[in-house]
Amino acid sequence: MNAAERRGRCARRLGSALLALALGATAAGEATIKVDGLGWFDDREAERNLALLLDLPKRETLDAGQLEDAALILLSTLNDAGYLAPELTVEFRDATGEQREQPVDAALSTPLPRPLEVTEARMRIKEGPRFQYRQIDFEGLTALTPEAARTFFRGEPMLISLPRERLHSPGRLARSLANLREELRQRGFAEARVRVAELRSEAATGDVRLRVAVEEGPEHRVASLECAVQADAPQPPATAMADRVGRPWSALWEQDLATWLRQWYFQRGYPDVQVRVRTDVRPAVAGGRAVAVVAEIAPGPQVRLGAVHFTGNARTNERTLRRLVRARDGELFNPVAFDNGQARLSRLGIFRSVEMTAVPVDDATRDMVYEVVEGRREELSLLAGWGSYEQLRGGFEWRHFNLWGRAHTDNLQVVQSMKSSRGRYTYTVPELFGTTLDGSARLFGLHREELSFTRDEFGGNVSVQWPWRALRAQLTTGYTLQRFRITDNELATEPTDLKRTNSSSINFGFVRDRRDNPLTPRRGSRLFAQLELASRWLGGEVDYQQLRLGASYHTTLGAGRWLHAAAVHGLVLTLGADDRELPVSVRFFPGGADSIRGYNEGEAAPRAANGEFVGAKSYLQLNVELEQALAANWSAVAFVDALGIAARVADYPFAEELYAAGVGVRYRTPIGPVRLEYGRNLNPRAGDPSGTWHLSIGMPF
């Protein structure tokens, strides 16, 4: 058996092993393969992989072919990791009991002796140098900058360039060339060719120098677009077609055109529409090619909906499902609308799967059948985290799904930290009254030790949320009734502060989030506004108006570097009431890991003449960060935070200013970045810290 056949057999065994793993197949066995030379952890991982791929738990002995398969798997893995000249020796004890060893290479130039049956073998590996790119140059490339083209070969440039980001292997090189060629073709260079012009490597060090030759060819642009519609069917709007003319032509452009045309006909009741795009590429003129495009459209028959049916909903009320699908018998059969209905059903979180099937009734009528598989009824999750002020926190979240068979959910969350205890129960009704409104009712309680007082709050809230599609935003309206209680008050205003009071308010919220990732944003923006209006007329004992406005912006400054900025403004008024009756906890106490980072939480609040804190009635906060990637998941950040605060509305927008600057490091995780930051106060007041360390999780804004 030659090397190529051996590799094929390895691939087949890989498929069988993965299938066995998926089926949970295990059996007793004694055959083992040990690996040495990759490091303790990597050795153990390689042993586990070999046991899986070769079904070792099922084997009592290993023959020569199986040992050669194991060697080829290890060599292939090393090759893809950049070790192009590894040395591998197989050690085993033959039938006579003699300990033997034999080198094995990827070509199997020296096969293991046959026949051979062993119960244990050891693979000793010398990795050799790791081959990595030291220099990558391009010739003939104009559509992309060299720096942008290099990312196809070694990823985004980092301040600290780790070897694994610059690895070279034949397989990686082939994929990189193909990806660069595809990028050029998507930009309209349909005849682009990319090849290796020169590849030099130093066997002793593993340094690789690559020169890539690019032949872009003429740029293809759409010169004209026509639609040839069969049968008596409507024509797509000419303005939409004209907007696509003049753009670079590519296979992706054709796919986008065909998709748009199909959806346009879907909305008009033609579910069987077929679109075929035909192109006529003209001779090159002045470095470009004009492409004439004809979209041949076969709409098929216009179809109407007979009825919508549901199966599998043993515990779910069918009226709830029909409300979410939003389709009426007899209307035009629109596959896009049914896809949207499927998405709404899936977002409920009560089904493991939602499938749909169109069933013909006659030539002009079809039924739609949704087949659902009901999922979990409840879920318990443990919560944990760390913050510089509250320190260690932990708790649990208990959720119930599909209550009463109407897709309602409830959520009980309890969290305990070193500074606070909090609980919250929320009951949610999706698609309230058959509209886009989501309704919720919430009970909450909080006991928290602030810097200068201890707060106790409990109460309830009812709210509705709905999308503002024109702005791609979310709106929220609600009513809140809560009880405030303040103890251990060490604020300068303690003699006049209310110890306890009831508040009733209506709340309005607006959020427009255009960030590319809410956990680790790199581009985009977020706007929010919150307004709370408390009044005795609503059933409370105090009158106040609290407003918070904020915006954040994220952008890329070259490869591996980002700029983040945010501004937040808060204002509390007591129009029509005595200012001394304003609850302490409604005032603002800025400072902390998500505010001005030279202070702990609450330490940036205004101070009285005696140095004691006073809550702010107005504040304006500005944060600016420059983040530089260090490695794949690590980055460094330099920041400047500015804060203006005022204890009186008469001093609006602020009476004093505070500034802090600092640096930090971040490690990206699936739940957001873990941040270690130090903020230095540039103009501390008497009693203020010179600076503060913060350890937290999540973006500050």
Side-chain angles (χ1 to χ4, degrees):
M1 180 180 295
N2 58 32
E5 293 171 335
R6 186 76 70 196
R7 292 190 188 95
R9 191 170 76 175
C10 288
R12 290 191 295 274
R13 286 185 172 175
L14 171 61
S16 299
L18 292 176
L19 178 61
L21 178 65
L23 296 176
T26 59
E30 299 180 358
T32 59
I33 296 178
K34 300 293 184 182
V35 178
D36 285 336
L38 303 178
W40 193 88
F41 288 103
D42 290 340
D43 287 343
R44 305 289 85 77
E45 183 179 2
E47 290 170 3
R48 288 192 296 269
N49 290 339
L50 290 176
L52 168 67
L53 297 175
L54 300 177
D55 290 335
L56 294 187
K58 294 183 177 181
R59 304 183 187 278
E60 297 183 0
T61 62
L62 295 166
D63 60 26
Q66 290 153 358
L67 292 179
E68 289 170 351
D69 288 347
L72 287 175
I73 291 170
L74 289 174
L75 290 173
S76 176
T77 302
L78 288 167
N79 185 274
D80 199 53
Y83 298 102
L84 304 186
E87 298 178 7
L88 187 148
T89 302
V90 181
E91 296 182 357
F92 57 92
R93 194 178 299 277
D94 63 16
T96 66
E98 178 183 356
Q99 186 71 24
R100 298 184 59 180
E101 60 180 51
Q102 182 173 321
V104 176
D105 56 30
L108 293 178
S109 54
T110 307
L112 294 175
R114 287 164 169 77
L116 180 65
E117 294 290 334
V118 301
T119 59
E120 182 177 348
R122 184 175 298 273
M123 306 284 179
R124 293 199 180 275
I125 298 170
K126 292 183 180 179
E127 295 175 328
R130 197 173 198 180
F131 286 74
Q132 50 192 292
Y133 292 114
R134 293 295 182 188
Q135 182 177 340
I136 304 176
D137 296 317
F138 299 90
E139 58 183 39
L141 180 65
T142 62
L144 294 172
T145 64
E147 194 60 43
R150 288 189 187 100
T151 61
F152 291 94
F153 296 82
R154 63 181 188 190
E156 293 286 344
M158 303 292 177
L159 193 64
I160 301 175
S161 184
L162 298 178
R164 67 171 177 266
E165 306 296 334
R166 298 181 281 111
L167 295 182
H168 164 74
S169 70
R172 287 172 178 262
L173 176 58
R175 292 192 294 270
S176 300
L177 294 171
N179 291 338
L180 176 56
R181 181 179 64 249
E182 183 61 25
E183 175 66 20
L184 292 171
R185 291 181 175 177
Q186 296 303 336
R187 291 171 177 257
F189 297 93
E191 302 171 21
R193 294 193 298 172
V194 181
R195 61 181 177 84
V196 175
E198 184 180 13
L199 180 64
R200 291 185 291 120
S201 59
E202 299 180 13
T205 62
D207 291 348
V208 177
R209 288 170 172 79
L210 172 66
R211 185 161 54 88
V212 179
V214 178
E215 298 176 22
E216 294 176 347
E219 184 182 19
H220 292 55
R221 284 193 173 272
V222 180
S224 62
L225 173 59
E226 298 179 5
C227 291
V229 183
Q230 299 178 11
D232 186 16
Q235 289 276 350
T239 53
M241 297 293 99
D243 289 343
R244 297 174 181 271
V245 176
R247 298 182 183 181
W249 175 86
S250 67
L252 182 60
W253 181 92
E254 284 193 5
Q255 293 172 11
D256 288 343
L257 172 65
T259 299
W260 184 87
L261 288 171
R262 281 194 292 269
Q263 291 180 348
W264 192 87
Y265 279 95
F266 285 164
Q267 294 170 2
R268 285 150 183 81
Y270 295 92
D272 301 326
V273 60
Q274 299 292 321
V275 178
R276 178 176 176 267
V277 179
R278 183 164 47 82
T279 59
D280 179 17
V281 181
R282 308 289 170 75
V285 177
R289 289 186 185 273
V291 181
V293 180
V294 176
E296 298 177 346
I297 303 171
Q302 191 175 47
V303 178
R304 292 191 174 272
L305 173 66
V308 176
H309 305 282
F310 298 90
T311 63
N313 53 315
R315 300 189 302 265
T316 307
N317 188 292
E318 187 171 307
R319 291 179 60 188
T320 299
L321 304 184
R322 290 189 178 279
R323 190 173 69 238
L324 292 170
V325 171
R326 300 176 187 168
R328 296 188 301 273
D329 297 354
E331 67 181 13
L332 292 174
F333 193 96
N334 181 3
V336 175
F338 295 123
D339 286 341
N340 293 337
Q342 183 185 35
R344 284 192 288 269
L345 293 175
S346 299
R347 282 198 299 268
L348 291 175
I350 64 175
F351 300 122
R352 288 204 302 270
S353 65
V354 180
E355 303 293 339
M356 60 182 190
T357 305
V359 179
V361 177
D362 53 44
D363 292 343
T365 308
R366 292 178 193 175
D367 290 348
M368 177 56 69
V369 178
Y370 286 93
E371 182 179 356
V372 301
V373 177
E374 294 177 324
R376 60 197 186 283
R377 301 295 300 275
E378 58 186 77
E379 178 182 79
L380 178 64
S381 303
L382 299 180
L383 308 174
W386 176 273
S388 296
Y389 181 73
E390 293 200 0
Q391 302 176 18
L392 181 65
R393 60 179 177 267
F396 68 88
E397 184 176 27
W398 191 10
R399 303 181 65 187
H400 293 84
F401 301 89
N402 202 15
L403 294 169
W404 323 114
R406 297 184 177 274
H408 299 184
T409 62
D410 71 352
N411 176 299
L412 174 64
Q413 187 180 96
V414 177
V415 179
Q416 177 68 51
S417 75
M418 307 300 288
K419 296 287 187 179
S420 69
S421 304
R422 67 185 68 200
R424 182 183 66 194
Y425 175 80
T426 306
Y427 189 97
T428 302
V429 180
E431 309 282 345
L432 197 62
F433 309 126
T435 68
T436 58
L437 299 175
D438 290 340
S440 65
R442 179 167 60 97
L443 300 175
F444 58 88
L446 169 68
H447 173 83
R448 192 171 192 266
E449 298 175 14
E450 303 290 358
L451 189 64
S452 300
F453 63 93
T454 299
R455 72 165 68 186
D456 291 292
E457 299 176 7
F458 60 90
N461 166 271
V462 291
S463 63
V464 292
Q465 182 181 39
W466 69 96
W468 188 350
R469 292 192 174 90
L471 293 180
R472 287 186 281 182
Q474 290 288 330
L475 298 177
T476 304
T477 301
Y479 171 80
T480 302
L481 174 64
Q482 58 186 324
R483 173 79 167 176
F484 296 112
R485 187 167 72 95
I486 301 297
T487 58
D488 303 323
N489 192 340
E490 299 177 3
L491 295 167
T493 54
E494 188 275 336
T496 59
D497 287 338
L498 295 176
K499 302 298 184 290
R500 58 181 61 84
T501 189
N502 294 325
S503 168
S504 296
S505 63
I506 55 175
N507 321 102
F508 303 94
F510 168 89
V511 177
R512 183 176 187 266
D513 196 341
R514 301 295 304 277
R515 296 174 296 176
D516 58 346
N517 187 318
L519 297 178
T520 55
R522 295 291 184 249
R523 297 181 182 86
S525 62
R526 179 178 182 268
L527 303 174
F528 78 87
Q530 297 172 352
L531 177 62
E532 180 181 4
L533 303 175
S535 173
R536 290 179 173 87
W537 293 96
L538 298 172
E541 300 172 346
V542 291
D543 296 274
Y544 64 84
Q545 305 82 39
Q546 186 192 72
L547 173 67
R548 292 184 72 241
L549 304 171
S552 65
Y553 177 73
H554 312 266
T555 189
T556 299
L557 299 177
R561 191 176 301 112
W562 305 277
L563 177 68
H564 311 286
V568 181
H569 176 50
L571 175 65
V572 176
L573 302 174
T574 53
L575 300 177
D578 188 341
D579 187 68
R580 292 173 298 179
E581 295 182 359
L582 180 66
V584 169
S585 54
V586 176
R587 294 175 179 261
F588 303 111
F589 293 85
D594 299 334
S595 179
I596 180 168
R597 280 162 280 190
Y599 297 85
N600 276 317
E601 193 161 338
E603 287 183 343
R607 288 181 181 269
N610 61 1
E612 294 180 339
F613 288 107
V614 180
K617 296 193 72 175
S618 172
Y619 81 98
L620 179 62
Q621 176 183 306
L622 177 65
N623 308 90
V624 179
E625 293 185 348
L626 178 63
E627 184 178 2
Q628 169 66 58
L630 299 177
N633 293 316
W634 288 92
S635 63
V637 64
F639 59 84
V640 176
D641 299 330
L643 177 71
I645 46 178
R648 304 183 309 156
V649 175
D651 297 323
Y652 180 87
F654 47 81
E656 64 178 321
E657 305 168 19
L658 300 175
Y659 299 94
V663 295
V665 293
R666 293 177 182 173
Y667 180 75
R668 187 171 59 189
T669 72
I671 59 173
V674 177
R675 301 156 44 206
L676 177 61
E677 298 166 336
Y678 177 75
R680 179 78 176 182
N681 289 322
L682 303 182
N683 60 333
R685 306 162 298 185
D688 284 350
S690 59
T692 304
W693 285 95
H694 296 282
L695 177 62
S696 56
I697 300 176
M699 280 291 292
F701 48 83

